[in-house]
Amino acid sequence: MAGERRPRGEYTVGRERRSGILQTALREFAEHGYHGTSLNRIADRAGISEAGLRHHFANKDALLVAVLEQRDASSERLPDGQEPLVGVADLEHHIAIVEGNTATIELARLFTVLTAEATTRDHPAASWAVDRYRSIRASIEQGIRGGIASGEFRDDVDAARVARQIIAIMDGLQLQWLLDPEAVDMAADFREYTAELLTRLRGE
Amino acid sequence: MAGERRPRGEYTVGRERRSGILQTALREFAEHGYHGTSLNRIADRAGISEAGLRHHFANKDALLVAVLEQRDASSERLPDGQEPLVGVADLEHHIAIVEGNTATIELARLFTVLTAEATTRDHPAASWAVDRYRSIRASIEQGIRGGIASGEFRDDVDAARVARQIIAIMDGLQLQWLLDPEAVDMAADFREYTAELLTRLRGE
DNA sequence: GTCTATATAGCGATAGAC
DNA sequence: GTCTATCGCTATATAGAC
């Protein structure tokens, strides 16, 4: 982290350029998927030439991965030094996430489209998607286990299975909402699901 | 429907050709999505020239729509003259569908990938996907309503919401299964979900 | 760090012969 | 009904000037 310094201005300009490209690329990948997006188009909309864009990202795969990893880093990190949420608090936290997603439709579409694309052969986001889902499953499973340990939930609850179910509901409702926003209120539906789940987790 | 006849052989050859192309196209679209698939590739794998393929399907959009509509027609039709299933029987029917999907991973991927792609701008399958989901929602909602009418289910059940939830679980589990088949037993998870749902629908 | 120019390949689509 | 040939366009990617 130490070492020679460079004029601050250079860094700032470089980072802003890079970050602007990532922002534009996110929108394009979300609107057209990986194969449907061209570097030329991203470059145009970011106000740079295609060759200029390539100075920052060697190829299309690298740009996609950079977009996805940046979003993971910014959305899935807990505030510094905070204990992981467990039990009811974790479920309520997921309600807040779903409510937040209704306000960022572009980001929601990015994840929906690219995760589904990533189930196909040789997709550049394949390992990103698999790892991400394993990590999310483990995290929610821990939240459920924490609820069992604290006595909030029954001790015969299958935490791993409940975790898969929560994720499935979130993704499935989001898909229906993206297809037909007027017909599906995903936040309301998820809130209802959570209430039902809670009844079940707390026992008869 | 009446009018001049042609030698039977010609029809048969034509239909088999067409059907072979559709089969190959289905596999390619499932493996690479719409934008990731090229007509040239489909033609090669179907053992025909690209121009030959174009004799049967005028353009790429038409071919995709033909693939999707053929699969809808073959998978979502009830046996002739059969009454629609309602209540518990309809839920059990959906368990059978999910179990069937585990044996046809290619078809499952086709629907997952193309439905997600269809949430993007100007996708050729957009209206297919929206219409399909409206139709499935309505069909399951009717099944739930039938269960209420017959007294199997409580009469304060929100049939439309339950329908959205069932579809969400099916799609969400399928996505996790496609990404990580060893980690997710979607049929078992769906069976468990259905059992829990049934308890709730039948009341305290 | 950004540009113009260009290489190379693949795409969807059309025309016309057989 | 199927083919070869080809058009016009766009894609990713590279080289080298400023």
Side-chain angles (χ1 to χ4, degrees), chain B residues 3-198:
Chain B
E4 59 256 306
R5 298 218 178 136
R6 296 193 200 176
R8 189 174 182 170
E10 284 185 26
Y11 270 123
T12 307
V13 169
R15 287 203 185 173
E16 275 171 14
R17 186 54 111 185
R18 209 186 130 92
S19 139
I21 292 169
L22 283 172
Q23 197 180 324
T24 307
L26 186 157
R27 195 173 61 243
E28 293 299 314
F29 284 129
E31 292 282 315
H32 306 283
Y34 175 73
H35 295 292
T37 298
S38 80
L39 294 177
N40 198 311
R41 215 179 134 95
I42 295 172
D44 265 9
R45 311 223 161 178
I48 195 177
S49 72
E50 194 188 318
L53 185 154
R54 289 189 123 82
H55 175 75
H56 297 278
F57 303 95
N59 56 44
K60 194 181 174 182
D61 288 18
L63 176 54
L64 175 67
V65 169
V67 167
L68 297 174
E69 285 181 348
Q70 187 206 238
R71 295 319 308 188
D72 275 350
S74 72
S75 69
E76 274 153 35
R77 196 193 299 130
L78 282 167
D80 283 356
Q82 192 172 313
E83 288 287 311
L85 298 171
V86 297
V88 176
D90 192 37
L91 289 183
E92 279 166 359
H93 175 232
H94 281 88
I95 293 177
I97 290 175
V98 172
E99 281 167 350
N101 289 349
T102 63
T104 55
I105 186 163
E106 204 160 73
L107 203 54
R109 186 154 38 221
L110 179 81
F111 282 93
T112 293
V113 173
L114 279 153
T115 304
E117 275 191 339
T119 65
T120 64
R121 282 211 185 289
D122 301 322
H123 195 281
S127 69
W128 165 82
V130 174
D131 291 349
R132 178 167 183 265
Y133 271 73
R134 285 183 182 163
S135 155
I136 297 175
R137 276 199 295 267
S139 161
I140 297 185
E141 186 181 332
Q142 274 313 104
I144 303 292
R145 278 191 205 288
I148 297 170
S150 72
E152 285 179 296
F153 302 153
R154 295 168 58 106
D155 62 5
D156 63 349
V157 164
D158 183 339
R161 195 177 64 73
V162 171
R164 292 190 297 271
Q165 187 174 100
I166 291 170
I167 297 164
I169 284 277
M170 290 175 73
D171 285 342
L173 288 176
Q174 181 162 290
L175 178 65
Q176 292 180 59
W177 169 68
L178 286 171
L179 282 172
D180 208 343
E182 258 92 70
V184 179
D185 183 340
M186 84 165 159
D189 278 0
F190 185 68
R191 239 178 281 120
E192 282 290 328
Y193 163 77
T194 305
E196 292 160 1
L197 175 64
L198 215 46

Side-chain angles (χ1 to χ4, degrees), chain A residues 31 109 113 116 119-121 130 134 137 161 164-165 168-169 172-173 176 179-180 189 192 196 200, chain B residues 30-31 109 113 116 119-121 130 134 137 161 164-165 168-169 172 176 179-180 189 192 196 200:
Chain A
E31 292 282 317
R109 196 183 287 120
V113 173
T119 66
T120 64
R121 281 209 186 291
V130 174
R134 286 182 182 162
R137 276 199 296 266
R161 195 177 64 72
R164 292 191 296 272
Q165 186 174 100
I169 284 278
L173 288 176
Q176 292 181 58
L179 282 172
D180 209 343
D189 278 0
E192 282 292 327
E196 292 160 2
R200 188 152 45 81
Chain B
E31 292 282 315
R109 186 154 38 221
V113 173
T119 65
T120 64
R121 282 211 185 289
V130 174
R134 285 183 182 163
R137 276 199 295 267
R161 195 177 64 73
R164 292 190 297 271
Q165 187 174 100
I169 284 277
Q176 292 180 59
L179 282 172
D180 208 343
D189 278 0
E192 282 290 328
E196 292 160 1
R200 189 150 46 81

Side-chain angles (χ1 to χ4, degrees), chain A residues 146-164:
Chain A
I148 297 171
S150 73
E152 284 179 297
F153 302 154
R154 295 169 57 106
D155 62 5
D156 63 348
V157 164
D158 182 340
R161 195 177 64 72
V162 170
R164 292 191 296 272

